[in-house]
Amino acid sequence: MDSKRISSASQQQVRLRQKRTKREWRPLEDRSCTDLPWFLLFTVFCVGMGSICGFTIATGGAARLIFGYDSYGNTCGRRNERIEGVQLSGLDHTDRKFVFFLDPCNIDIVQRKIKSMALCVSLCPPEELKTHQDLKRFAMTNGSDLCSYELPAHRYPALPERFSRCPKLPVPRSKPLPLFNRCTPVDVSCYARFAEAVVTFVGDSSVLHRLIAGVAASKEIIVGLCVLALALSMVLMVIIRYISAVLVWILTSLVVLGSLAGTSVLWWLYIDHRLYANDTSSKDPKEAKQEAPEGQRDGGQALLVYAAAATIFTIILLLLMLFMRKRVALTIALFHVAGKVFIHLPLLTLQPFITFLALLLFWVYWILVLLFLGTTGNPEQNEETGLTEFRLTGSLQYLTWYHAVGLVWISEFILACQQMTVAGAVVTYYFTRDKNRLPVTPILSSVLRLVRYHLGTVAKGSFIITLVKVPRLVLMYVHNQLKGRENVCARCLLKSCICCLWCLEKCLNYLNQNAYAATAINSTSFCTSARDAFVILVENALRVATINAVGDFVLFLGKVLIMTCTAFAGVLLLNYQRDYAEWLLPLIIVCLFSFLVAHCFLSIFEIVVDVLFLCFAIDTKYNDGTPGKEFFMDKALMEFVESSRRLERAGGRGRSRVKEAASEGAEMKPMAPGTSSA
C-alpha cells in the first residue's frame, strides 16, 4: 500500500510539473500588470535623473552654463558672493552680461575647451581693435572693459600688465552667441586648427573650405535626397513581399554557384601546380631542386588544404540548402505576410519617426544636464593657469556615473517600448481571424496596453541590456585610453572581452524582442515570457536560423538598394558641379543618411517578421486546423503549411510502400534447405 501511495504521489508531482512547464497560450484573452516592482524601480531611477538636473540648477551650474562665468568664479549678469581665497570674486556683474575671452583662438584640442582668461563685459567689440589705444577708446566710449578688472581703462596703453591681462591683439570683431551669451569672433578662421584636428583626413585647408562650400551650395539637393531615401524606404516596406521570393532564390543561387566556382578554381590551381611540379621533377633532380624552391612546395600543400576545406564547406552548404529549402519558403511567406501587415497597419511606418524624436529629445536633455554638471561643484584654482574652475568632488563625482548609466538604460527603454508597441500591434493583427474587425488604430491600442500593463516588463528587459552594454562601453573606453601603451596580451584580452559582450548583447536583444512578443500575447512577466519564447525558438531552431540568415541578408540588400538608388540620384543632381571635391562630401552625407534611414525602417520590418514567426510557431503548435482548433494564420502561411503536409504525406506513403515491399519479399523467401519435413 505504501509503495502504491508513493507511486501515485510521484505521478501527481510529475503532472504538476508538466502543468507548470507546459502552459496554454491564450492570445489577447487576459490582461494584467506585469513586473510592477521593476516599473517602480525605473520610476525611482528617473526621479534620480531629474534630481541631478534639479541639483545643478539649485547650485548654480545651469546659470553658469547659460549666462557664463569669468575666470574668478563670477557669474555674468548677476550679483555674486565672494569665494574664499579667490581675488576679484564676489563682484556685481548685473550690467556685464557677456563672456569675453582674451584669446578666443587658444583652444585645447584634447580637452576641447578654450585655454584663455574669461571676463564679463557689457558689450562685445563690434569692430576689430588693433592697438591698446583702441582698447582704451572702446572702454571709455562704451563702458566695456576688455582688460582685467583691476586695471583702469584710461591707463591701458602704459600699463606693463597689458601683455598678460589684456586681450591678444588684434582683437577680432565678435558677436554674442545666442542664448549662451559668449562673445564669438565673426571670422571663424582662427578655429581652422581645431577643424583640421577634427577632420584629420584633410591635409590642405583649402580642401576643407571647398568641401564646406560644396555642402553649403548643395543643401537643397541634400535635403531632397534625404526625403527621397525616406520615400524609398517606406515604399520598399510595402513592395518587398512581391520581390522577396526573387531576392531569396537569387541569393541562394549566387551563394551555391559562388561556392562551387571557388572550389573548382582551387582544385584547378592545385592540379596545375602538381602538373608543373611533375614537369620539373622529370628533369635532372639537381636542376629540379634548384628550380623548385621551398615556397612552391609549401604552396602546393596549402592549395590542397584550401581546396579540401572549400569542398567540405560546399558539401555542407549544399546539404543545408537541400534540407532547409522548405524553411526558405517559410521566410518568403513571412515576408509576404509582413507586407500585408504594413498595408493594414500603415501607422507602423511612423514608428521610426516617433522613436527617433523621443531619443532626440532625451539626448538633448541628457547633454544639457551633462553640461550643467560640468559647471557644477566647488570652485578650485587651476595651478597651471591660475584660473578658477568648478569641479565635482567627493561623493558628488558619482553623479556623472549615475547620469551615464541613465543614458544607456533610458535609451534602451525607449527602443524596447518601440519593440513592444510593434509586437502588440502585430499580435493583434495575427490573432484576429476577421481582419475587417481589427481595432480602428491597433498601434494606439498597443501603446495604451503598454502604458497600462507592461512598462515594468520593458524596464526589466532594457535593464538587462544595460548590464551588458555598460561594461562593454567601459572596456572600449579603457582600450582607447590605453591605445599604444598596453602590451599585446592585454590588448587581445580587452578585444576578446568586448567582442564577447557584444555577442551576448545581440543574443539578449533577440531574446528580449521575442519576450516582449510573448508578453503581448499572454500578458505574462518578463522571465516567464522569455522562457516560453525560448522554448518555442529552440523547438524551431532550424527555421529560426534560416529566417535570420536569409531574411537578414535580404533586408541588408534592401538597405544597399536604397542607398545605391539615392547615391545614383545624387550623382545625377550634383553632376553640374564639375569639381569632384565639391560634391564628394554632400554625396557621402546623403549615402550615410540614406543607409541610416533604410536601417531604421527595415529594422521595423525585421521586428514584424520575427513577431509573425513566433505567432506562427505558437499557432502551428497548439492548433491543427480541425474544428475548435482552427488556425489564425494568413492565407500565404496556410498554403505553406498545406504544402508541407502534402510533402510529409507523400514521404509517409513512400516509406510505407518500402516497408510493404520488404515484408512481401520476406514472405516469398524460400525456406533454407534442411528445414523441410522428411
Side-chain angles (χ1 to χ4, degrees), residues 35-99:
D35 298 297
L36 186 59
W38 281 93
F39 170 69
L40 297 177
L41 177 63
F42 182 74
T43 303
V44 171
F45 183 84
C46 291
V47 171
M49 291 284 290
S51 300
I52 293 177
C53 181
F55 172 76
T56 59
I57 294 174
T59 55
R64 293 189 199 99
L65 176 69
I66 296 175
F67 298 109
Y69 64 97
D70 61 16
S71 298
Y72 306 105
N74 301 300
T75 302
C76 299
R78 292 190 172 189
R79 186 186 298 273
N80 298 276
E81 296 180 0
R82 179 173 178 78
I83 301 173
E84 185 178 355
V86 179
Q87 295 181 352
L88 299 177
S89 62
L91 301 179
D92 184 5
H93 285 335
T94 306
D95 298 329
R96 299 174 176 178
K97 299 181 179 180
F98 305 105
V99 180

Side-chain angles (χ1 to χ4, degrees), residues 329-349:
L330 174 60
T331 305
I332 297 171
L334 287 173
F335 272 59
H336 186 80
V337 178
K340 287 186 178 180
V341 170
F342 281 96
I343 292 176
H344 285 88
L345 310 177
L347 291 181
L348 277 177
T349 56

Side-chain angles (χ1 to χ4, degrees), residues 545-556:
T546 306
I547 291 170
N548 286 331
V550 179
D552 289 354
F553 195 83
V554 170
L555 293 178
F556 174 75

Side-chain angles (χ1 to χ4, degrees), residues 263-278:
T263 305
S264 302
V265 168
L266 286 173
W267 279 114
W268 177 77
L269 290 174
Y270 173 71
I271 293 172
D272 182 69
H273 187 276
R274 290 291 299 174
L275 292 175
Y276 176 76
N278 292 333

